[in-house]
Amino acid sequence: MSFLGRGASTSNGGINHERLEMAMNEIEMVSDVFNRIVSSCHGKCISNRYAEGDLNKGESVCIDRCVAKFFDVNKKVGEKMQAAGANAQATGSSSFSL
Amino acid sequence: MSFLGRGASTSNGGINHERLEMAMNEIEMVSDVFNRIVSSCHGKCISNRYAEGDLNKGESVCIDRCVAKFFDVNKKVGEKMQAAGANAQATGSSSFSL
Amino acid sequence: MSFLGRGASTSNGGINHERLEMAMNEIEMVSDVFNRIVSSCHGKCISNRYAEGDLNKGESVCIDRCVAKFFDVNKKVGEKMQAAGANAQATGSSSFSL
Amino acid sequence: MDFSQFNASEQAHMTKIIEKKQMQDFMKMYSGLVERCFTSCCNDFTSKALSSKEEQCVMNCADKFLKHSERVGQRFAELNAESMGPARP
Amino acid sequence: MDFSQFNASEQAHMTKIIEKKQMQDFMKMYSGLVERCFTSCCNDFTSKALSSKEEQCVMNCADKFLKHSERVGQRFAELNAESMGPARP
Amino acid sequence: MDFSQFNASEQAHMTKIIEKKQMQDFMKMYSGLVERCFTSCCNDFTSKALSSKEEQCVMNCADKFLKHSERVGQRFAELNAESMGPARP
C-alpha cells in the first residue's frame, strides 16, 4: 500500500507537513480497508443467530480465507486502476470538477 | 447551491476563514450528494451478476433517469424543509437546491 | 458519559487543547450514538410504505421502546467491554455508559 | 454535557466548533434523508419524471422521518439525563 | 462553484484543501469499490484463492462501477449546471 | 508503516495524531458494535425492557464480534507484512 509515495522535500529539524499528510493518508487508507474487511467478513462468515460467544471452527476458517480473498480482490482492483491510468484527480470524479 | 451564503466581512489581502469554511461546506455537500447518487443509482440500475464490464443500454438509460429523479427528490425535500422552517441555519437561507 | 475524563492540567486564561479535544470526543460520541439510534429505530419501527406523513400510534410506541432498548444494549456492551479490558483508553477509565 | 469548568476563551472556541459540527450534521441528515426517501419511493425508471405517487411517497417519507427524529431526540434526551443524573455529584 | 470573489491567498488555500479532499475521496472510492466487488463476487470460502470465475466477476464489477460513476458524473454536472444557471444573476 | 525517516518533532506530531485517531476509531467501533448487536438481537418491541434472551444474544454478539475483529487483525497484519516486505528495499 505504498502508492501514495510522492516526493517530499525534507525540511531539516522542523515539521514537513506534506510528509506528515502523506503518512496520515496511508494510515487512513489502511485503517479504512481494515474496517471494511472486518465488516465484509463478518457478513460472510458469522451467523446472525448468536447461540454462543466463541468463534466456532467453521467461522474461524472462513475468516482466514475471507481476509485472504479480500486482499486478492484489493490487489486485482488496484492493478486495474493503475492499468486504466487511474489517477487520483482523474478517476475519482472525472467530470466532477468543482 | 447558494443556501450557505451568510454575510461575510471581507478581510482585504488576508484569509477570510468564514468564507473559506462556507465554501468547504458547499463542496462537502455537493460531494456527499454525488456519492449518494452514485450508490443509490448503482443499487437501482446495475445488476449484481457482472456478466460483462460494460454498461448495457438498459443500465445506461436507467442511470440517466435515476440521476434526474434523485435531483427531483432532492428539490422536493429541500422545499419541504424550507417550508417547515426545519432548521435555523437552513431557514435563513435563500435556496436549498443543489 | 464520563469515560473520557483523563486528568487535564488547567492552563489559566489560555486554551487547554487537551480538554477541548476530550469535550469534542464526548460530543462526537453522543452524536454518533444518536444518529445510530435514529437509523436503527427507523428500520425497526417505520414501515417503508409511507401512506401518510404522521407517526401512527404503533410507530410512536415502538420508537419509545426502541430507544430505551438501544440504551440498554449500549449499557450492556459497555459493561462487557470494561470487564474485558478491551482497550487501553477504555480500560483506564471509570465508566462507559452514555 | 457540562462545560462549566471551561474558561471564557475555551467556551468561545467550543461554541464555534459545535456550530460547525451542527452545520455538518444538518447537511448530512438532509442528504441522508433525500437518499432514504429516494430509495424507498422511487422504483420505476421507465420515466425520468417523478410520478405523483412517488412524489407523495417522498413527501410522507420526509415528514415521517423528521417526526421520527424529533421523537427519538426527546426520548434520547430523557434517557441521557437519567443516566447522567446520578453519576454526577 | 464560484470562487471568483476569493483573493489570491484564499484561492491558494482553497486549492490545497480541495486537493486534500480529492485524495481522500479517491481513496474512499477505491476501498469502497473493492468492498462492493468483493461482496458481490465472493461467496465461496471453501478456498482462500480467488477462483477464475470470481476474478472475472471482480474485474467486470470494477469496470462497470467506474463507467457507472463516470456516467453519473456527466448527468450530475449537466443537471447541476442547469439548476445553478438561472439562480445566478 | 515506516516512520524511520521522520525527525523527532515529526514523530512526536505523528504519535499525537495517531493517538487521536485510535481514540476516534475505538469509539466508532464501539458504537458500531452496539448498533450491530442491537439490530441482530432486538426484534420485539412489545416491551421496552431487554428480555433475557435478547440480553444473551447481545452478549454473545459482542463477544463474537471482538473475537472476529481480533482474528481479522491477525490475518491482516500477516498479509500486510507479506505484501509490504518484498516491495520495500
Side-chain angles (χ1 to χ4, degrees), chain C residues 1 13-14 16 19-20 23-24 26-28 30-31 34 37-38 41-42 46 48 50-55 59-60 63-64 67-68 71 98, chain D residues 1 3 5-7 9-10 13-14 17-18 21 25 36 40 57 60-61 63-65 67-69 71-73 75-76 79-80 83-84 88:
Chain C
M1 191 150 169
N16 181 332
R19 194 155 71 176
L20 284 184
M24 268 317 291
E26 209 165 325
I27 290 173
E28 290 285 353
V30 173
S31 153
F34 176 73
I37 297 181
V38 168
C41 292
H42 197 274
I46 310 294
N48 253 357
Y50 299 116
E52 82 284 308
D54 286 318
L55 296 174
E59 289 170 329
S60 301
I63 292 168
D64 296 349
V67 179
F71 264 71
L98 275 171
Chain D
M1 209 70 52
F3 297 147
Q5 82 279 32
F6 279 22
N7 65 39
S9 48
E10 286 172 343
H13 200 83
M14 210 60 213
I17 291 174
I18 290 176
K21 181 167 166 53
D25 283 358
R36 178 186 296 278
S40 292
C57 178
N60 289 342
C61 170
D63 250 344
K64 209 171 242 199
F65 182 82
K67 285 167 189 161
H68 166 73
S69 284
R71 191 169 188 109
V72 171
R75 294 299 90 75
F76 187 86
L79 289 164
N80 220 15
S83 72
M84 299 289 268
R88 306 239 163 167

Side-chain angles (χ1 to χ4, degrees), chain B residues 49-80:
Chain B
R49 286 180 302 102
Y50 298 117
E52 83 283 306
D54 286 318
L55 297 174
N56 61 44
K57 184 73 189 147
E59 289 171 328
S60 301
V61 173
C62 179
I63 292 168
D64 297 349
R65 290 170 179 161
C66 182
V67 179
K69 248 182 198 186
F70 199 105
F71 264 72
D72 265 11
V73 171
N74 186 71
K75 200 170 151 234
K76 293 292 175 198
V77 172
E79 286 166 3
K80 168 167 280 299

Side-chain angles (χ1 to χ4, degrees), chain F:
Chain F
M1 209 68 52
D2 178 21
F3 296 147
S4 56
Q5 82 279 32
F6 279 23
N7 65 38
S9 50
E10 285 172 343
Q11 291 205 3
H13 200 84
M14 211 59 214
T15 303
K16 271 184 93 168
I17 291 175
I18 290 175
E19 275 174 8
K20 191 176 163 184
K21 181 169 167 51
Q22 280 177 329
M23 186 60 177
Q24 290 172 338
D25 283 358
F26 174 74
M27 294 194 306
K28 223 166 181 173
M29 186 278 285
Y30 172 77
S31 59
L33 172 56
V34 172
E35 185 181 17
R36 178 185 296 277
C37 295
F38 173 81
T39 302
S40 291
C41 296
C42 300
N43 288 300
D44 169 27
F45 297 98
T46 55
S47 152
K48 73 170 197 171
L50 215 53
S51 74
S52 61
K53 198 180 139 200
E54 286 172 329
E55 186 176 333
Q56 189 57 55
C57 178
V58 166
M59 293 291 100
N60 288 342
C61 171
D63 251 344
K64 208 171 243 200
F65 182 82
L66 294 173
K67 284 166 189 161
H68 166 73
S69 284
E70 205 190 324
R71 190 168 188 110
V72 171
Q74 289 163 355
R75 293 300 90 76
F76 187 85
E78 291 162 13
L79 289 165
N80 220 15
E82 264 176 50
S83 72
M84 298 290 268
R88 304 239 164 166

